[in-house]
Amino acid sequence: MTSLRWSTRLAFYLAAMGSALGLGNIWRFPFIVADNGGGAFVWLYLLMVFVVGMPLLIGELLLGKVTGSAIVPALKKLDHREVNPYALTEEPNRGGIRVWAASYLAITSCVLVLSYYSVISGWVLHFLFRLTVGLVSERGFDPEESLLVLMDKSWLQVLLTSAHLFIVAYFVGQRLHEGFERWIGKIVPLYFVFLVLLASQALSMQGASDALRFFLYPNFANLTWDSLGKTIGHVCFTLSVGFGMMVTFGSYVKDTTSVPVAGFRIAIFDSLVSLFVGMIVFPLMYVSSAQAYGPPLLFQTVPSLLVKMGGGEWLNLIFFLCLYLAALGASVGLMETAVANWRESKHVSHNKATKLMVGLCLVVGLFPALSTGVFGHVRFGDLGLLEIWDSLVVHWLLPVSALVISQVVVHKVDKSVQKQEFDVTQNSSVARLYRHWRWMMTYLVPGLIICGLLLQVFAR
Ligand code: PHE
């Protein structure tokens, strides 16, 4: 149980938005849109944000707020009368299969995501390093060469991944994550303004209208049957649901903060960021002749354009610095969630849990880090190991984990307690939404997730 409360509602919003914002919006969104045919995928994604992501996000925040805990102790408390007035026991229960499944799914999702998230964060670190060297030396910065060097050298990728994980371990081990999350929250508005400015630059380039057509025109013929599962997975990833992390955030909010309003605002903000990133990357992709798809897309497009603009190296430096901070904020949140869950489930010290989780991420992270080197031959169709990893975790594991957490919220938190959270603002339109939210969480969200998973198996 934590006694921490955000000092202001704004501080909570900024920190929660800061942790939702990350590589998912800036690195992953453009390449899955490019790989899945553009506009139609974007519209499906936006729809899924509102019908799947937002209800789940509200559910996780609500669970955290009413229990005042992170996910594992929250689940243990669910039979307690404070949360459920009709529960039979007054004591928190000791768990059971539900607690066990949800906590292990949350921990596994955190470790598997963090281990490849760290590889990409390492790429960002590499670009930051080359940009800084470029600024102080005479050779300047060559974006294409920087990417080639990275793809060519396995040891470099392992080194960068480990460096990133050690930075994350420092923040979590020293328990600096809370201050850091607040601090990241403060740079979020600045980063947003920077992205909007870059988007307006990119949209003024020749060919931007073709790029916009690709990005926003819904040509549904481009969708495949497995698109539903892919969008749902990405929505969970980008809104950080299915990890139990938003449960922790919910436990920090003040009693007067409305969870449905918070969920709505975070989802809108996160989608807006992704849309602006698309408006930067796609015009650039259309101008550059490079056939850019898959994970390197962002690194192939953005730096080369910025380099051509006046003061491009500085702009690149700001872009990658902000991107790194966003990735670091998300990684710290993921590591903290894994550590807190492990600590609570196994009753071990914070230090021990941190060491174990970092060690685990380092070992597991070797596989995606070596995906262009030693494991270069591991392929499944067109996909390399990094893409297979990304797809297994994001398109499969996260939706399953989100499904389990959602069912716990709907069925184990008492209805009157749930309803109360929709009455906090005393605004009748928010209060009326309760019925719809409950219906969505009971039928629509699980139905769509299960359909998405089945379609990925049977209709590829
Ligand atoms: N939502 C983050 C992103 O878009 C990823 C993340 C997932 C961060 C889960 C924390 C927890 O990059």
Side-chain angles (χ1 to χ4, degrees), residues 17-28 110 113 117 234-243 245-246 270 274 326-327 329-335 337 398:
M17 285 169 181
S19 72
L21 177 94
L23 294 175
N25 308 78
I26 299 161
W27 161 74
R28 195 173 191 279
C110 288
V113 167
Y117 208 88
H234 181 75
V235 163
C236 292
F237 183 73
T238 188
L239 294 181
S240 313
V241 295
F243 301 84
M245 196 180 89
M246 286 297 173
D270 195 78
S274 296
S331 309
V332 167
L334 278 166
M335 177 65 81
T337 310
L398 276 190

PDB file of all heavy atoms in Angstrom, residues 17-28 110 113 117 234-243 245-246 270 274 326-327 329-335 337 398, ligand 1:
ATOM      1  N   MET A  17       0.467  10.464 -18.575  1.00  0.00           N
ATOM      2  CA  MET A  17       0.651  10.632 -20.018  1.00  0.00           C
ATOM      3  C   MET A  17       2.100  10.359 -20.393  1.00  0.00           C
ATOM      4  O   MET A  17       2.401   9.762 -21.419  1.00  0.00           O
ATOM      5  CB  MET A  17       0.267  12.048 -20.438  1.00  0.00           C
ATOM      6  CG  MET A  17      -1.243  12.236 -20.466  1.00  0.00           C
ATOM      7  SD  MET A  17      -1.671  13.955 -20.650  1.00  0.00           S
ATOM      8  CE  MET A  17      -3.449  13.872 -20.624  1.00  0.00           C
ATOM      9  N   GLY A  18       3.012  10.796 -19.517  1.00  0.00           N
ATOM     10  CA  GLY A  18       4.440  10.556 -19.772  1.00  0.00           C
ATOM     11  C   GLY A  18       4.743   9.074 -19.841  1.00  0.00           C
ATOM     12  O   GLY A  18       5.560   8.631 -20.644  1.00  0.00           O
ATOM     13  N   SER A  19       4.052   8.277 -19.022  1.00  0.00           N
ATOM     14  CA  SER A  19       4.393   6.858 -19.053  1.00  0.00           C
ATOM     15  C   SER A  19       3.680   6.139 -20.197  1.00  0.00           C
ATOM     16  O   SER A  19       4.127   5.092 -20.644  1.00  0.00           O
ATOM     17  CB  SER A  19       4.077   6.204 -17.726  1.00  0.00           C
ATOM     18  OG  SER A  19       2.710   6.106 -17.620  1.00  0.00           O
ATOM     19  N   ALA A  20       2.582   6.719 -20.684  1.00  0.00           N
ATOM     20  CA  ALA A  20       1.935   6.090 -21.847  1.00  0.00           C
ATOM     21  C   ALA A  20       2.693   6.454 -23.125  1.00  0.00           C
ATOM     22  O   ALA A  20       2.777   5.672 -24.063  1.00  0.00           O
ATOM     23  CB  ALA A  20       0.485   6.534 -21.947  1.00  0.00           C
ATOM     24  N   LEU A  21       3.261   7.653 -23.122  1.00  0.00           N
ATOM     25  CA  LEU A  21       4.001   8.109 -24.304  1.00  0.00           C
ATOM     26  C   LEU A  21       5.351   7.392 -24.350  1.00  0.00           C
ATOM     27  O   LEU A  21       6.016   7.275 -23.335  1.00  0.00           O
ATOM     28  CB  LEU A  21       4.244   9.618 -24.152  1.00  0.00           C
ATOM     29  CG  LEU A  21       5.050  10.268 -25.244  1.00  0.00           C
ATOM     30  CD1 LEU A  21       4.097  10.835 -26.261  1.00  0.00           C
ATOM     31  CD2 LEU A  21       5.906  11.387 -24.697  1.00  0.00           C
ATOM     32  N   GLY A  22       5.728   6.925 -25.513  1.00  0.00           N
ATOM     33  CA  GLY A  22       7.030   6.260 -25.574  1.00  0.00           C
ATOM     34  C   GLY A  22       7.289   5.750 -26.969  1.00  0.00           C
ATOM     35  O   GLY A  22       6.739   6.253 -27.951  1.00  0.00           O
ATOM     36  N   LEU A  23       8.118   4.699 -27.031  1.00  0.00           N
ATOM     37  CA  LEU A  23       8.489   4.146 -28.333  1.00  0.00           C
ATOM     38  C   LEU A  23       7.264   3.627 -29.073  1.00  0.00           C
ATOM     39  O   LEU A  23       7.248   3.565 -30.292  1.00  0.00           O
ATOM     40  CB  LEU A  23       9.476   3.005 -28.129  1.00  0.00           C
ATOM     41  CG  LEU A  23      10.846   3.408 -27.560  1.00  0.00           C
ATOM     42  CD1 LEU A  23      11.681   2.168 -27.290  1.00  0.00           C
ATOM     43  CD2 LEU A  23      11.567   4.321 -28.537  1.00  0.00           C
ATOM     44  N   GLY A  24       6.224   3.257 -28.318  1.00  0.00           N
ATOM     45  CA  GLY A  24       4.998   2.752 -28.948  1.00  0.00           C
ATOM     46  C   GLY A  24       4.409   3.776 -29.897  1.00  0.00           C
ATOM     47  O   GLY A  24       3.980   3.448 -31.009  1.00  0.00           O
ATOM     48  N   ASN A  25       4.395   5.043 -29.489  1.00  0.00           N
ATOM     49  CA  ASN A  25       3.833   6.102 -30.336  1.00  0.00           C
ATOM     50  C   ASN A  25       4.798   6.498 -31.439  1.00  0.00           C
ATOM     51  O   ASN A  25       4.376   6.788 -32.556  1.00  0.00           O
ATOM     52  CB  ASN A  25       3.580   7.374 -29.523  1.00  0.00           C
ATOM     53  CG  ASN A  25       2.762   7.125 -28.288  1.00  0.00           C
ATOM     54  OD1 ASN A  25       3.290   6.642 -27.299  1.00  0.00           O
ATOM     55  ND2 ASN A  25       1.480   7.407 -28.350  1.00  0.00           N
ATOM     56  N   ILE A  26       6.086   6.564 -31.089  1.00  0.00           N
ATOM     57  CA  ILE A  26       7.009   7.233 -32.008  1.00  0.00           C
ATOM     58  C   ILE A  26       7.754   6.250 -32.903  1.00  0.00           C
ATOM     59  O   ILE A  26       8.007   6.526 -34.060  1.00  0.00           O
ATOM     60  CB  ILE A  26       7.967   8.119 -31.183  1.00  0.00           C
ATOM     61  CG1 ILE A  26       7.109   9.150 -30.450  1.00  0.00           C
ATOM     62  CG2 ILE A  26       9.014   8.824 -32.050  1.00  0.00           C
ATOM     63  CD1 ILE A  26       7.779   9.804 -29.288  1.00  0.00           C
ATOM     64  N   TRP A  27       8.048   5.091 -32.365  1.00  0.00           N
ATOM     65  CA  TRP A  27       8.779   4.108 -33.174  1.00  0.00           C
ATOM     66  C   TRP A  27       7.840   3.032 -33.751  1.00  0.00           C
ATOM     67  O   TRP A  27       7.891   2.716 -34.927  1.00  0.00           O
ATOM     68  CB  TRP A  27       9.863   3.451 -32.302  1.00  0.00           C
ATOM     69  CG  TRP A  27      10.380   2.155 -32.822  1.00  0.00           C
ATOM     70  CD1 TRP A  27      11.227   1.986 -33.876  1.00  0.00           C
ATOM     71  CD2 TRP A  27      10.076   0.841 -32.325  1.00  0.00           C
ATOM     72  NE1 TRP A  27      11.466   0.640 -34.067  1.00  0.00           N
ATOM     73  CE2 TRP A  27      10.771  -0.079 -33.122  1.00  0.00           C
ATOM     74  CE3 TRP A  27       9.275   0.353 -31.283  1.00  0.00           C
ATOM     75  CZ2 TRP A  27      10.697  -1.452 -32.919  1.00  0.00           C
ATOM     76  CZ3 TRP A  27       9.211  -1.011 -31.078  1.00  0.00           C
ATOM     77  CH2 TRP A  27       9.918  -1.900 -31.892  1.00  0.00           C
ATOM     78  N   ARG A  28       6.939   2.488 -32.907  1.00  0.00           N
ATOM     79  CA  ARG A  28       6.162   1.329 -33.361  1.00  0.00           C
ATOM     80  C   ARG A  28       4.984   1.726 -34.253  1.00  0.00           C
ATOM     81  O   ARG A  28       4.725   1.075 -35.269  1.00  0.00           O
ATOM     82  CB  ARG A  28       5.662   0.530 -32.148  1.00  0.00           C
ATOM     83  CG  ARG A  28       5.183  -0.859 -32.538  1.00  0.00           C
ATOM     84  CD  ARG A  28       4.838  -1.712 -31.339  1.00  0.00           C
ATOM     85  NE  ARG A  28       4.641  -3.087 -31.750  1.00  0.00           N
ATOM     86  CZ  ARG A  28       3.514  -3.547 -32.280  1.00  0.00           C
ATOM     87  NH1 ARG A  28       2.502  -2.755 -32.457  1.00  0.00           N
ATOM     88  NH2 ARG A  28       3.413  -4.821 -32.653  1.00  0.00           N
ATOM     89  N   CYS A 110       5.810  -7.483 -18.561  1.00  0.00           N
ATOM     90  CA  CYS A 110       6.796  -6.422 -18.308  1.00  0.00           C
ATOM     91  C   CYS A 110       8.190  -6.862 -18.748  1.00  0.00           C
ATOM     92  O   CYS A 110       8.892  -6.125 -19.449  1.00  0.00           O
ATOM     93  CB  CYS A 110       6.852  -6.072 -16.818  1.00  0.00           C
ATOM     94  SG  CYS A 110       5.419  -5.172 -16.254  1.00  0.00           S
ATOM     95  N   VAL A 113       8.434  -7.340 -22.645  1.00  0.00           N
ATOM     96  CA  VAL A 113       8.400  -6.067 -23.368  1.00  0.00           C
ATOM     97  C   VAL A 113       9.682  -5.291 -23.106  1.00  0.00           C
ATOM     98  O   VAL A 113      10.334  -4.799 -24.022  1.00  0.00           O
ATOM     99  CB  VAL A 113       7.166  -5.223 -22.976  1.00  0.00           C
ATOM    100  CG1 VAL A 113       7.293  -3.801 -23.472  1.00  0.00           C
ATOM    101  CG2 VAL A 113       5.906  -5.841 -23.560  1.00  0.00           C
ATOM    102  N   TYR A 117      12.222  -3.630 -25.656  1.00  0.00           N
ATOM    103  CA  TYR A 117      12.123  -2.164 -25.572  1.00  0.00           C
ATOM    104  C   TYR A 117      13.521  -1.589 -25.321  1.00  0.00           C
ATOM    105  O   TYR A 117      13.887  -0.538 -25.843  1.00  0.00           O
ATOM    106  CB  TYR A 117      11.213  -1.838 -24.380  1.00  0.00           C
ATOM    107  CG  TYR A 117      10.456  -0.537 -24.466  1.00  0.00           C
ATOM    108  CD1 TYR A 117       9.213  -0.469 -25.073  1.00  0.00           C
ATOM    109  CD2 TYR A 117      10.964   0.631 -23.901  1.00  0.00           C
ATOM    110  CE1 TYR A 117       8.488   0.715 -25.117  1.00  0.00           C
ATOM    111  CE2 TYR A 117      10.253   1.817 -23.944  1.00  0.00           C
ATOM    112  CZ  TYR A 117       9.020   1.854 -24.557  1.00  0.00           C
ATOM    113  OH  TYR A 117       8.319   3.029 -24.604  1.00  0.00           O
ATOM    114  N   HIS A 234      -1.628  -3.383 -30.296  1.00  0.00           N
ATOM    115  CA  HIS A 234      -0.906  -2.111 -30.293  1.00  0.00           C
ATOM    116  C   HIS A 234      -1.564  -1.106 -29.348  1.00  0.00           C
ATOM    117  O   HIS A 234      -0.877  -0.345 -28.657  1.00  0.00           O
ATOM    118  CB  HIS A 234      -0.798  -1.525 -31.704  1.00  0.00           C
ATOM    119  CG  HIS A 234      -0.031  -0.243 -31.707  1.00  0.00           C
ATOM    120  ND1 HIS A 234       1.338  -0.210 -31.579  1.00  0.00           N
ATOM    121  CD2 HIS A 234      -0.436   1.049 -31.748  1.00  0.00           C
ATOM    122  CE1 HIS A 234       1.748   1.052 -31.552  1.00  0.00           C
ATOM    123  NE2 HIS A 234       0.687   1.835 -31.659  1.00  0.00           N
ATOM    124  N   VAL A 235      -2.900  -1.123 -29.313  1.00  0.00           N
ATOM    125  CA  VAL A 235      -3.617  -0.206 -28.417  1.00  0.00           C
ATOM    126  C   VAL A 235      -3.227  -0.494 -26.954  1.00  0.00           C
ATOM    127  O   VAL A 235      -2.949   0.423 -26.172  1.00  0.00           O
ATOM    128  CB  VAL A 235      -5.146  -0.338 -28.632  1.00  0.00           C
ATOM    129  CG1 VAL A 235      -5.920   0.261 -27.488  1.00  0.00           C
ATOM    130  CG2 VAL A 235      -5.545   0.326 -29.943  1.00  0.00           C
ATOM    131  N   CYS A 236      -3.171  -1.779 -26.581  1.00  0.00           N
ATOM    132  CA  CYS A 236      -2.758  -2.128 -25.203  1.00  0.00           C
ATOM    133  C   CYS A 236      -1.343  -1.629 -24.953  1.00  0.00           C
ATOM    134  O   CYS A 236      -1.041  -1.049 -23.912  1.00  0.00           O
ATOM    135  CB  CYS A 236      -2.782  -3.653 -24.983  1.00  0.00           C
ATOM    136  SG  CYS A 236      -4.411  -4.347 -25.016  1.00  0.00           S
ATOM    137  N   PHE A 237      -0.461  -1.847 -25.937  1.00  0.00           N
ATOM    138  CA  PHE A 237       0.939  -1.460 -25.780  1.00  0.00           C
ATOM    139  C   PHE A 237       1.068   0.054 -25.604  1.00  0.00           C
ATOM    140  O   PHE A 237       1.705   0.551 -24.677  1.00  0.00           O
ATOM    141  CB  PHE A 237       1.698  -1.921 -27.017  1.00  0.00           C
ATOM    142  CG  PHE A 237       3.183  -1.655 -26.974  1.00  0.00           C
ATOM    143  CD1 PHE A 237       4.013  -2.409 -26.156  1.00  0.00           C
ATOM    144  CD2 PHE A 237       3.751  -0.676 -27.767  1.00  0.00           C
ATOM    145  CE1 PHE A 237       5.378  -2.171 -26.120  1.00  0.00           C
ATOM    146  CE2 PHE A 237       5.111  -0.436 -27.742  1.00  0.00           C
ATOM    147  CZ  PHE A 237       5.933  -1.187 -26.919  1.00  0.00           C
ATOM    148  N   THR A 238       0.420   0.801 -26.494  1.00  0.00           N
ATOM    149  CA  THR A 238       0.634   2.239 -26.486  1.00  0.00           C
ATOM    150  C   THR A 238      -0.035   2.905 -25.285  1.00  0.00           C
ATOM    151  O   THR A 238       0.457   3.892 -24.744  1.00  0.00           O
ATOM    152  CB  THR A 238       0.213   2.864 -27.845  1.00  0.00           C
ATOM    153  OG1 THR A 238       0.615   4.216 -27.851  1.00  0.00           O
ATOM    154  CG2 THR A 238      -1.263   2.810 -28.091  1.00  0.00           C
ATOM    155  N   LEU A 239      -1.161   2.339 -24.818  1.00  0.00           N
ATOM    156  CA  LEU A 239      -1.809   2.935 -23.641  1.00  0.00           C
ATOM    157  C   LEU A 239      -1.297   2.321 -22.336  1.00  0.00           C
ATOM    158  O   LEU A 239      -1.786   2.640 -21.252  1.00  0.00           O
ATOM    159  CB  LEU A 239      -3.332   2.761 -23.712  1.00  0.00           C
ATOM    160  CG  LEU A 239      -4.063   3.513 -24.829  1.00  0.00           C
ATOM    161  CD1 LEU A 239      -5.559   3.248 -24.751  1.00  0.00           C
ATOM    162  CD2 LEU A 239      -3.819   5.017 -24.725  1.00  0.00           C
ATOM    163  N   SER A 240      -0.328   1.441 -22.451  1.00  0.00           N
ATOM    164  CA  SER A 240       0.275   0.752 -21.285  1.00  0.00           C
ATOM    165  C   SER A 240      -0.749  -0.026 -20.463  1.00  0.00           C
ATOM    166  O   SER A 240      -0.671  -0.033 -19.240  1.00  0.00           O
ATOM    167  CB  SER A 240       0.987   1.736 -20.344  1.00  0.00           C
ATOM    168  OG  SER A 240       1.807   2.613 -21.026  1.00  0.00           O
ATOM    169  N   VAL A 241      -1.711  -0.683 -21.126  1.00  0.00           N
ATOM    170  CA  VAL A 241      -2.636  -1.521 -20.349  1.00  0.00           C
ATOM    171  C   VAL A 241      -2.313  -3.002 -20.573  1.00  0.00           C
ATOM    172  O   VAL A 241      -1.778  -3.384 -21.603  1.00  0.00           O
ATOM    173  CB  VAL A 241      -4.135  -1.255 -20.650  1.00  0.00           C
ATOM    174  CG1 VAL A 241      -4.546   0.131 -20.233  1.00  0.00           C
ATOM    175  CG2 VAL A 241      -4.481  -1.511 -22.088  1.00  0.00           C
ATOM    176  N   GLY A 242      -2.628  -3.793 -19.545  1.00  0.00           N
ATOM    177  CA  GLY A 242      -2.327  -5.228 -19.620  1.00  0.00           C
ATOM    178  C   GLY A 242      -1.068  -5.559 -18.822  1.00  0.00           C
ATOM    179  O   GLY A 242      -0.712  -6.720 -18.670  1.00  0.00           O
ATOM    180  N   PHE A 243      -0.391  -4.511 -18.313  1.00  0.00           N
ATOM    181  CA  PHE A 243       0.827  -4.736 -17.521  1.00  0.00           C
ATOM    182  C   PHE A 243       0.544  -4.530 -16.029  1.00  0.00           C
ATOM    183  O   PHE A 243       1.377  -4.793 -15.190  1.00  0.00           O
ATOM    184  CB  PHE A 243       1.911  -3.718 -17.883  1.00  0.00           C
ATOM    185  CG  PHE A 243       2.313  -3.731 -19.321  1.00  0.00           C
ATOM    186  CD1 PHE A 243       1.595  -3.030 -20.268  1.00  0.00           C
ATOM    187  CD2 PHE A 243       3.447  -4.407 -19.723  1.00  0.00           C
ATOM    188  CE1 PHE A 243       1.983  -3.014 -21.590  1.00  0.00           C
ATOM    189  CE2 PHE A 243       3.844  -4.389 -21.047  1.00  0.00           C
ATOM    190  CZ  PHE A 243       3.110  -3.697 -21.981  1.00  0.00           C
ATOM    191  N   MET A 245       0.407  -1.615 -14.899  1.00  0.00           N
ATOM    192  CA  MET A 245       1.079  -0.381 -14.515  1.00  0.00           C
ATOM    193  C   MET A 245       0.094   0.737 -14.197  1.00  0.00           C
ATOM    194  O   MET A 245       0.286   1.524 -13.277  1.00  0.00           O
ATOM    195  CB  MET A 245       2.005   0.069 -15.634  1.00  0.00           C
ATOM    196  CG  MET A 245       2.989   1.092 -15.156  1.00  0.00           C
ATOM    197  SD  MET A 245       4.062   1.611 -16.463  1.00  0.00           S
ATOM    198  CE  MET A 245       3.133   2.933 -17.120  1.00  0.00           C
ATOM    199  N   MET A 246      -1.000   0.785 -14.953  1.00  0.00           N
ATOM    200  CA  MET A 246      -1.965   1.852 -14.722  1.00  0.00           C
ATOM    201  C   MET A 246      -2.729   1.641 -13.403  1.00  0.00           C
ATOM    202  O   MET A 246      -3.334   2.557 -12.887  1.00  0.00           O
ATOM    203  CB  MET A 246      -2.934   1.974 -15.902  1.00  0.00           C
ATOM    204  CG  MET A 246      -2.281   2.614 -17.104  1.00  0.00           C
ATOM    205  SD  MET A 246      -1.770   4.319 -16.725  1.00  0.00           S
ATOM    206  CE  MET A 246      -0.855   4.774 -18.198  1.00  0.00           C
ATOM    207  N   ASP A 270      -2.679  10.362 -26.022  1.00  0.00           N
ATOM    208  CA  ASP A 270      -1.778   9.366 -26.590  1.00  0.00           C
ATOM    209  C   ASP A 270      -2.046   9.173 -28.086  1.00  0.00           C
ATOM    210  O   ASP A 270      -1.123   9.065 -28.889  1.00  0.00           O
ATOM    211  CB  ASP A 270      -1.985   8.050 -25.830  1.00  0.00           C
ATOM    212  CG  ASP A 270      -0.858   7.087 -26.088  1.00  0.00           C
ATOM    213  OD1 ASP A 270       0.207   7.273 -25.483  1.00  0.00           O
ATOM    214  OD2 ASP A 270      -1.045   6.175 -26.918  1.00  0.00           O
ATOM    215  N   SER A 274       0.422   9.959 -31.481  1.00  0.00           N
ATOM    216  CA  SER A 274       0.689   9.002 -32.566  1.00  0.00           C
ATOM    217  C   SER A 274       0.330   9.606 -33.921  1.00  0.00           C
ATOM    218  O   SER A 274       1.059   9.439 -34.907  1.00  0.00           O
ATOM    219  CB  SER A 274      -0.116   7.721 -32.367  1.00  0.00           C
ATOM    220  OG  SER A 274       0.295   7.085 -31.201  1.00  0.00           O
ATOM    221  N   ALA A 326      11.602   9.762 -23.175  1.00  0.00           N
ATOM    222  CA  ALA A 326      10.289   9.106 -23.188  1.00  0.00           C
ATOM    223  C   ALA A 326      10.465   7.592 -23.030  1.00  0.00           C
ATOM    224  O   ALA A 326       9.740   6.937 -22.268  1.00  0.00           O
ATOM    225  CB  ALA A 326       9.546   9.433 -24.480  1.00  0.00           C
ATOM    226  N   ALA A 327      11.459   7.037 -23.749  1.00  0.00           N
ATOM    227  CA  ALA A 327      11.694   5.589 -23.671  1.00  0.00           C
ATOM    228  C   ALA A 327      12.167   5.209 -22.273  1.00  0.00           C
ATOM    229  O   ALA A 327      11.779   4.172 -21.720  1.00  0.00           O
ATOM    230  CB  ALA A 327      12.727   5.176 -24.706  1.00  0.00           C
ATOM    231  N   GLY A 329      11.478   6.830 -19.470  1.00  0.00           N
ATOM    232  CA  GLY A 329      10.334   6.934 -18.554  1.00  0.00           C
ATOM    233  C   GLY A 329       9.492   5.674 -18.622  1.00  0.00           C
ATOM    234  O   GLY A 329       9.110   5.098 -17.594  1.00  0.00           O
ATOM    235  N   ALA A 330       9.211   5.209 -19.846  1.00  0.00           N
ATOM    236  CA  ALA A 330       8.393   4.002 -20.008  1.00  0.00           C
ATOM    237  C   ALA A 330       9.130   2.788 -19.438  1.00  0.00           C
ATOM    238  O   ALA A 330       8.532   1.949 -18.744  1.00  0.00           O
ATOM    239  CB  ALA A 330       8.072   3.792 -21.481  1.00  0.00           C
ATOM    240  N   SER A 331      10.446   2.704 -19.693  1.00  0.00           N
ATOM    241  CA  SER A 331      11.209   1.538 -19.203  1.00  0.00           C
ATOM    242  C   SER A 331      11.244   1.511 -17.681  1.00  0.00           C
ATOM    243  O   SER A 331      11.139   0.436 -17.069  1.00  0.00           O
ATOM    244  CB  SER A 331      12.655   1.578 -19.711  1.00  0.00           C
ATOM    245  OG  SER A 331      12.695   1.771 -21.080  1.00  0.00           O
ATOM    246  N   VAL A 332      11.408   2.694 -17.073  1.00  0.00           N
ATOM    247  CA  VAL A 332      11.434   2.748 -15.609  1.00  0.00           C
ATOM    248  C   VAL A 332      10.076   2.284 -15.060  1.00  0.00           C
ATOM    249  O   VAL A 332      10.003   1.503 -14.109  1.00  0.00           O
ATOM    250  CB  VAL A 332      11.797   4.180 -15.126  1.00  0.00           C
ATOM    251  CG1 VAL A 332      11.518   4.358 -13.653  1.00  0.00           C
ATOM    252  CG2 VAL A 332      13.261   4.481 -15.424  1.00  0.00           C
ATOM    253  N   GLY A 333       8.997   2.724 -15.717  1.00  0.00           N
ATOM    254  CA  GLY A 333       7.653   2.311 -15.286  1.00  0.00           C
ATOM    255  C   GLY A 333       7.492   0.797 -15.392  1.00  0.00           C
ATOM    256  O   GLY A 333       6.951   0.151 -14.490  1.00  0.00           O
ATOM    257  N   LEU A 334       7.973   0.228 -16.498  1.00  0.00           N
ATOM    258  CA  LEU A 334       7.851  -1.219 -16.696  1.00  0.00           C
ATOM    259  C   LEU A 334       8.661  -1.983 -15.655  1.00  0.00           C
ATOM    260  O   LEU A 334       8.180  -2.958 -15.059  1.00  0.00           O
ATOM    261  CB  LEU A 334       8.389  -1.593 -18.088  1.00  0.00           C
ATOM    262  CG  LEU A 334       7.443  -1.397 -19.256  1.00  0.00           C
ATOM    263  CD1 LEU A 334       8.196  -1.474 -20.568  1.00  0.00           C
ATOM    264  CD2 LEU A 334       6.364  -2.479 -19.227  1.00  0.00           C
ATOM    265  N   MET A 335       9.900  -1.531 -15.455  1.00  0.00           N
ATOM    266  CA  MET A 335      10.769  -2.232 -14.495  1.00  0.00           C
ATOM    267  C   MET A 335      10.187  -2.126 -13.084  1.00  0.00           C
ATOM    268  O   MET A 335      10.149  -3.107 -12.348  1.00  0.00           O
ATOM    269  CB  MET A 335      12.176  -1.616 -14.558  1.00  0.00           C
ATOM    270  CG  MET A 335      13.159  -2.188 -13.573  1.00  0.00           C
ATOM    271  SD  MET A 335      13.530  -3.917 -13.869  1.00  0.00           S
ATOM    272  CE  MET A 335      14.725  -3.803 -15.172  1.00  0.00           C
ATOM    273  N   THR A 337       7.104  -1.795 -12.246  1.00  0.00           N
ATOM    274  CA  THR A 337       5.926  -2.658 -12.116  1.00  0.00           C
ATOM    275  C   THR A 337       6.358  -4.105 -11.894  1.00  0.00           C
ATOM    276  O   THR A 337       5.832  -4.807 -11.017  1.00  0.00           O
ATOM    277  CB  THR A 337       5.046  -2.561 -13.383  1.00  0.00           C
ATOM    278  OG1 THR A 337       4.826  -1.190 -13.654  1.00  0.00           O
ATOM    279  CG2 THR A 337       3.716  -3.245 -13.206  1.00  0.00           C
ATOM    280  N   LEU A 398      -0.115  -9.458 -24.566  1.00  0.00           N
ATOM    281  CA  LEU A 398      -0.781  -8.292 -23.965  1.00  0.00           C
ATOM    282  C   LEU A 398      -2.304  -8.380 -24.007  1.00  0.00           C
ATOM    283  O   LEU A 398      -2.957  -8.133 -22.996  1.00  0.00           O
ATOM    284  CB  LEU A 398      -0.346  -6.998 -24.665  1.00  0.00           C
ATOM    285  CG  LEU A 398       0.939  -6.388 -24.167  1.00  0.00           C
ATOM    286  CD1 LEU A 398       1.120  -5.006 -24.775  1.00  0.00           C
ATOM    287  CD2 LEU A 398       0.902  -6.277 -22.665  1.00  0.00           C
TER     288      LEU A 398
HETATM  289  N1  PHE B   1       3.035   2.828 -23.625  1.00  0.00           N
HETATM  290  C1  PHE B   1       4.450   2.791 -23.806  1.00  0.00           C
HETATM  291  C2  PHE B   1       4.779   3.209 -25.223  1.00  0.00           C
HETATM  292  O1  PHE B   1       3.929   3.567 -25.973  1.00  0.00           O
HETATM  293  C3  PHE B   1       5.011   1.423 -23.565  1.00  0.00           C
HETATM  294  C4  PHE B   1       4.781   0.972 -22.176  1.00  0.00           C
HETATM  295  C5  PHE B   1       4.020  -0.124 -21.939  1.00  0.00           C
HETATM  296  C6  PHE B   1       5.285   1.664 -21.120  1.00  0.00           C
HETATM  297  C7  PHE B   1       3.774  -0.502 -20.636  1.00  0.00           C
HETATM  298  C8  PHE B   1       5.052   1.275 -19.834  1.00  0.00           C
HETATM  299  C9  PHE B   1       4.281   0.173 -19.604  1.00  0.00           C
HETATM  300  O2  PHE B   1       5.879   3.185 -25.614  1.00  0.00           O
END
